[in-house]
Amino acid sequence: MIPQTTNQGFVMTEAGTPGVAYGLRGVTVDDTRICKIIGEEGRLYYYGYNILELAERCTYEEVVWLLLHGKLPNKTELAQITKDLKDARGLPFGVRDVIKSAPKTSIPMDVLRTAASALALTDPAPNDNSPEGIVRKAIRLIAQFPEIVAMDYRLRRGEEPVAPNPELDHAANFLYMLHGKAPGKDAARTMDVALVLHAEHSFNASTFTARVIAATLSDMYSAITGAIGALKGPLHGGANEGVIMTLLEIREPANIKPWLEKKFQDKGFRLMGFGHAVYKTLDPRAIVLKKYSKKTGEERGTTKWYEMSDQIEGIMKGREKPLYPNVDFYSASTYYMMGLPPEIYTPIFAVSRVVGWCAHVIEQQAHNKLIRPAANYIGEVDKPFVPMDQR
Ligand code: CMC
């Protein structure tokens, strides 16, 4: 019998039972209360709240509280998390030295991964997995990621790092540390919305990586460092950088069709920012970011990148096998028009997603089971050992 692949990714065994689930598609590995995705309908919820409403009505700080505590903060709690995040700012000297010593040729995601790991060495209690200890580490990581990314960005450009501004909230302060001046209201809100949208997405590759590490009862820093490594890949968070490189390569609207036709002659070609392992329709985050791409283009007096993105979306939807934009597609043109360089788009994703990773580490360790899947061994067994002089 020829093995059959189902649309869930399973290969059926000869007995007709599910066998290998390539890419773990369709395999449920744990319970979670943090996030729900309804892929067929393009719906996403953080702790039961629809992402469209959170993006419109919440700040990133509110979402941080929601993801770490499972409920929306009241006024006192919001003031508390805002203060805690501000108090946890200020990169330790050891971590600053790590960033300063990175070769100028290194990729920003590699610097972020190394600096996140170094944060453990400057924490007096990195292995404290008590409920208070783990939340304290989460807040420290969330507070310090923007500073790591901004410091690395400025050093690469030969500019002095900018200290955090205690007057500014998380998103505005991030832009302030990148550009060295306080952002306007629109730019600050756009970054805030982008951070809300990227904060959490269930058992995706980087989050699952964090949970696998957390499930060994290792520490928060190890889990987050591993997650950064997974996010970096172009099939995951690295796609947003790929999207802008695509737009820049296409250059003009007139080139879109011939460019796509040529690329799709190669069967293995992947258009960055399209397709999703869970959504089979439009990613709701792309709906929001599309509006911000248009709005940012209008504010900056250049809607070309938005219009090109819109045209590409139309072409991809009209294909025999339609493909829809994911979160990375319209974030790319939005960031580009905000004056941000492509190499920090994936680090921006991490600046936001770190809270989702932390929430999953907390949930995993609260009801832990070591994650240890089985493998379908396809090699031989009991081979006769060959002594060295006979090989
Ligand atoms: N460009 C061209 N073809 C695609 C694409 C794409 N972006 N995405 C899927 N396909 C095709 C694929 O070639 C395959 O065709 P066929 O059935 O003829 O072989 C079919 O669609 C199904 O693809 P798949 O790889 O089985 O689907 P998947 O669910 O494993 O892939 C994905 C998900 C995200 C890896 C894929 O869509 C992709 O490579 N996209 C481009 C990279 C990207 O934008 N990643 C960001 C994901 S969202 C943000 C995040 O959470 O990281």
Side-chain angles (χ1 to χ4, degrees), residues 332-353:
S333 50
T334 307
Y335 297 153
Y336 192 69
M337 288 179 290
M338 289 170 79
L340 299 166
E343 67 273 16
I344 67 162
Y345 295 2
T346 312
I348 294 174
F349 196 149
V351 161
S352 165
R353 182 58 59 84

Side-chain angles (χ1 to χ4, degrees), residues 25 234-237 239 264 269-277 280 321 323 326-328 349:
R25 294 298 191 285
L235 296 188
H236 192 5
F264 272 104
F269 172 67
R270 294 289 172 127
L271 184 63
M272 294 291 115
F274 279 85
H276 201 277
K280 296 305 159 210
K321 277 191 189 170
L323 280 172
N326 57 49
V327 69
D328 292 316
F349 196 149

Side-chain angles (χ1 to χ4, degrees), residues 19-66:
V20 179
Y22 292 101
L24 291 181
R25 294 298 191 285
V27 177
T28 303
V29 297
D30 210 335
D31 300 320
T32 184
R33 290 183 186 280
I34 302 172
C35 180
K36 164 95 178 154
I37 306 169
I38 306 179
E40 301 74 28
E41 297 169 23
R43 287 201 269 157
L44 167 62
Y45 301 89
Y46 297 171
Y47 270 107
Y49 295 101
N50 192 310
I51 192 64
L52 298 178
E53 205 167 3
L54 293 176
E56 197 177 316
R57 302 177 67 171
C58 272
T59 60
Y60 183 68
E61 282 83 348
E62 283 175 270
V63 167
V64 168
W65 183 279
L66 172 67

